[in-house]
Amino acid sequence: MKKAIALLFALLIALSLSAQGAIEQNEGESVTVYAYDAFCGDYGPSSVVIPAFEEKTGIKVNLVSAGDALEMVSRIVMEGDRCPADVVLGITDDMAYSAYKEGILSTYKSPAADDMADHLIFDPEYRLLPFDYGVFSFVIDTESDIPVPSSLEDLTDPVYKDKVILIDPRTSSVGLGLLMWTYNVLGPDKYLDWWRAMRDNMLTMAEGWSSAYGLFTEGEAPLVLSYTTSPVYHVLNEDTTRYQAVIFDEGHQETIEGIGILKNAKNRENAEAFVDFILTDAQKDIAVMNSMYPVNSTAELPDAYEWAPEPEILFTSDSDVVENQLESIISDWVEVMTN
């Protein structure tokens, strides 16, 4: 095991040094961005956003797919002064504490921040700026004959036995979003009772959103954990309103994705230009391709967003709670779900 860890560490350092050497050739005319995997994929926003930025500014983007939020932070810390990244994209509000604690980010208040709602700016020091946000919800197949639930508690009714697809909070940020949603709505004394009841009603506990939503669209169950914006994809790409988000009066959990400039950025001016572009010109493309909401209030969205309702009550995860209590919250959840 120790040999495997040593080999992995050596490989990461080698890859980092190799990337740094290649990037130094373009320094001053480029910007290096560490982003989460889905952003960098063939169907992610990068396929449209990066070429548009390069064409507008003449600045070459070195895009690095660097895992999820915690993996990106860990990589930057491990690389230290050797880290070639100027910008990190995709650290969520609930995971931001890890970046703050490590002191890897610098302050940058983009002019675009003036066009954002106050509640979206989760870092008053502007080490991370929001670039899109989503709201977790259950999506229902309206061609099924089950009643539409009106609350989390409704989902524990026996009528939903084997009708709901959930996602594991240990392996998915969406699953973790539901865990914190139940914690915030039902309170620390009752949220585990909900999960205990859902052991009978869930069809399965998927490892990630993609597998869960795939089972849903294949007709395995009529309800799935997803986002209020998920129906937009079906309206735009399939011309159907069959799948709709269910809104609960008690409120929903919000998740905000952030972008920031690293303290050791070697191309600071280019990094600022990239952040500004993400928060202005790129807002529509990012929102549509991520099936999320834009943070810039001036962004014009397609009519399909009429099928992405925004709940009146939104909960966000207190970073102090996440940092200090998340481990015990998940541990208690595991005990309930496995015993």
Side-chain angles (χ1 to χ4, degrees):
M1 181 67 178
K2 290 182 178 178
K3 289 183 179 179
I5 293 174
L7 286 171
L8 177 60
F9 186 76
L11 178 60
L12 285 171
I13 290 179
L15 289 171
S16 173
L17 291 173
S18 175
Q20 185 180 13
I23 289 162
E24 283 176 351
Q25 297 174 9
N26 296 321
E27 195 165 305
E29 301 174 359
S30 66
V31 61
T32 299
V33 179
Y34 279 9
Y36 60 94
D37 293 341
F39 181 89
C40 303
D42 292 340
Y43 299 101
S46 67
S47 62
V48 172
V49 169
I50 300 303
F53 172 76
E54 292 178 334
E55 181 178 355
K56 179 177 180 178
T57 65
I59 299 170
K60 173 75 170 65
V61 177
N62 302 301
L63 185 65
V64 179
S65 183
D68 62 20
L70 290 179
E71 288 172 326
M72 284 190 285
V73 172
S74 297
R75 176 169 178 167
I76 293 166
V77 171
M78 182 194 72
E79 292 174 341
D81 292 339
R82 301 185 317 276
C83 180
D86 302 300
V87 174
V88 61
L89 182 150
I91 298 178
T92 52
D93 57 327
D94 54 354
M95 292 291 110
Y97 74 89
S98 60
Y100 304 154
K101 182 172 64 176
E102 297 293 348
I104 63 174
L105 299 169
S106 64
T107 294
Y108 176 59
K109 183 181 179 181
S110 169
D114 294 336
D115 292 319
M116 299 176 189
D118 290 341
H119 82 276
L120 294 174
I121 300 177
F122 58 88
D123 179 19
E125 296 183 35
Y126 297 98
R127 292 162 295 184
L128 285 170
L129 284 157
F131 69 86
D132 71 2
Y133 71 102
V135 178
F136 297 115
S137 73
F138 285 89
V139 174
I140 190 169
D141 181 351
T142 60
E143 292 188 1
S144 68
D145 58 0
I146 62 168
V148 179
S150 60
S151 66
L152 287 169
E153 199 63 38
D154 276 0
L155 291 171
T156 65
D157 189 291
V159 72
Y160 298 107
K161 182 175 174 57
D162 296 330
K163 305 294 186 186
V164 186
I165 300 171
L166 300 182
I167 305 174
D168 196 324
R170 296 168 298 180
T171 55
S172 167
S173 59
V174 182
L176 181 59
L178 175 60
L179 180 59
M180 298 310 299
W181 182 9
T182 59
Y183 184 89
N184 288 326
V185 170
L186 303 174
D189 297 329
K190 295 184 178 180
Y191 80 102
L192 290 174
D193 292 337
W194 185 87
W195 285 94
R196 192 174 288 110
M198 289 303 293
R199 288 186 305 187
D200 293 329
N201 281 6
M202 69 177 185
L203 174 71
T204 188
M205 178 79 67
E207 287 190 0
W209 177 86
S210 294
S211 57
Y213 208 77
L215 289 171
F216 169 69
T217 55
E218 290 168 5
E220 295 297 323
L223 279 164
V224 66
L225 172 63
S226 193
Y227 297 89
T228 56
T229 44
S230 294
V232 173
Y233 171 85
H234 300 287
V235 175
L236 287 174
N237 297 283
E238 300 170 355
D239 194 27
T240 180
T241 59
R242 172 179 175 178
Y243 306 111
Q244 297 180 18
V246 180
I247 303 302
F248 299 158
D249 290 340
E250 63 198 6
H252 290 246
Q253 189 76 12
E254 182 179 60
T255 181
I256 308 172
E257 294 187 311
I259 184 171
I261 298 175
L262 295 181
K263 209 170 253 185
N264 294 331
K266 298 176 179 63
N267 299 291
R268 174 77 191 200
E269 187 175 340
N270 293 346
E272 291 182 3
F274 183 80
V275 171
D276 291 344
F277 184 85
I278 291 295
L279 302 182
T280 53
D281 297 38
Q283 280 289 284
K284 176 182 176 181
D285 289 328
I286 289 177
V288 170
M289 298 185 77
N290 274 351
S291 288
M292 299 282 265
Y293 300 108
V295 296
N296 193 313
S297 60
T298 67
E300 295 184 5
L301 296 172
D303 293 341
Y305 270 80
E306 294 175 3
W307 295 95
E310 291 197 60
E312 292 185 7
I313 300 175
L314 296 173
F315 296 94
T316 57
S317 294
D318 188 318
S319 59
D320 290 334
V321 171
V322 174
E323 181 177 7
N324 299 314
Q325 299 181 41
L326 183 59
E327 186 175 344
S328 63
I329 290 172
I330 292 178
S331 177
D332 292 342
W333 176 88
V334 170
E335 184 175 351
V336 164
M337 299 304 288
T338 57
N339 292 335

